[in-house]
Amino acid sequence: MKRVNAILATVAICTLFAANTASAEANLALRGIGLKAGVVNPDNVNSTLGAGLIFDLGTLHPHVALQSYAGYWSQTEEAYGVKAGVHDFSFGAKANYMFAVSNPSIQPYAGAGLGLHLLNSHAETAPVYYGGTLLFPGTSIDDSSVKLGLDLGGGLRIDQGGQFAFLADAWFSIVSDVSQFSLMAGVVYMFGR
């Protein structure tokens, strides 16, 4: 129920921004592509490194920028002959509200978005032998699922007007069973400058 309320709130906010778009100039186009990397801290899993792609899709409104992304992280642990791991490939879109500041080359933002998470978890145990006799055969379990996630966060964009823009942000993705917090930095190559 909480997830439904959060999704409805996000849709309502996006609708309000879209209503204001009629009076403002939209500038939608693929304006840049970039890479990001950082630390991901998923629920019930140790922190790990994550990486991804960023697609700058322009603006809906002078203060609302659109961004699409694809990301990946993986974590595997081994103890007492049992190896278990999980990995997540995600992709989605975010709308970022760019706050008006006195220095437009350094711009803070807050945003929300939706993403699809292709989760895969796996575990395997080694066979157990005693005196050359097999006591327990090795087993392997693999499970995949696709889950919808709500992204909430913000960050800082540094754009000096050159060929590259730099990003540093923090996002919390609410995903059933594997919600995750990520702290990332990245660089975007801007087209047509």
Side-chain angles (χ1 to χ4, degrees):
M1 186 65 172
K2 290 180 184 178
R3 187 181 329 157
V4 172
N5 288 339
I7 292 171
L8 290 176
T10 303
V11 170
I13 290 169
C14 291
T15 303
L16 289 174
F17 284 132
N20 289 333
T21 306
S23 63
E25 287 187 37
N27 184 13
L28 295 176
L30 180 60
R31 295 181 39 202
I33 186 170
L35 298 171
K36 64 179 180 175
V39 177
V40 179
N41 187 8
D43 284 349
N44 305 318
V45 180
N46 288 337
S47 296
T48 186
L49 296 178
L53 295 172
I54 306 166
F55 303 95
D56 185 332
L57 301 178
T59 58
L60 263 178
H61 183 274
H63 291 290
V64 180
L66 293 180
Q67 181 185 85
S68 184
Y69 69 91
Y72 177 82
W73 61 264
S74 178
Q75 178 64 288
T76 301
E77 297 177 10
E78 188 171 356
Y80 306 109
V82 176
K83 186 176 181 181
V86 63
H87 68 260
D88 179 15
F89 175 72
S90 60
F91 57 94
K94 300 172 184 172
N96 296 328
Y97 181 81
M98 311 302 277
F99 295 102
V101 292
S102 59
N103 184 356
S105 64
I106 301 175
Q107 202 162 30
Y109 59 88
L114 294 174
L116 284 177
H117 295 260
L118 309 174
L119 295 160
N120 179 272
S121 56
H122 57 277
E124 56 187 63
T125 60
V128 177
Y129 293 94
Y130 182 74
T133 305
L134 179 65
L135 296 177
F136 181 75
T139 60
S140 179
I141 300 169
D142 198 343
D143 183 39
S144 296
S145 60
V146 177
K147 299 190 178 193
L148 182 65
L150 174 65
D151 300 319
L152 301 170
L156 190 66
R157 179 183 174 106
I158 301 170
D159 189 351
Q160 302 289 336
Q163 210 62 42
F164 295 96
F166 300 94
L167 302 172
D169 55 25
W171 289 91
F172 185 69
S173 298
I174 302 167
V175 183
S176 176
D177 300 326
V178 194
S179 291
Q180 50 205 259
F181 175 76
S182 62
L183 189 58
M184 299 261 182
V187 60
V188 179
Y189 177 81
M190 302 302 292
F191 302 131
R193 285 192 177 174

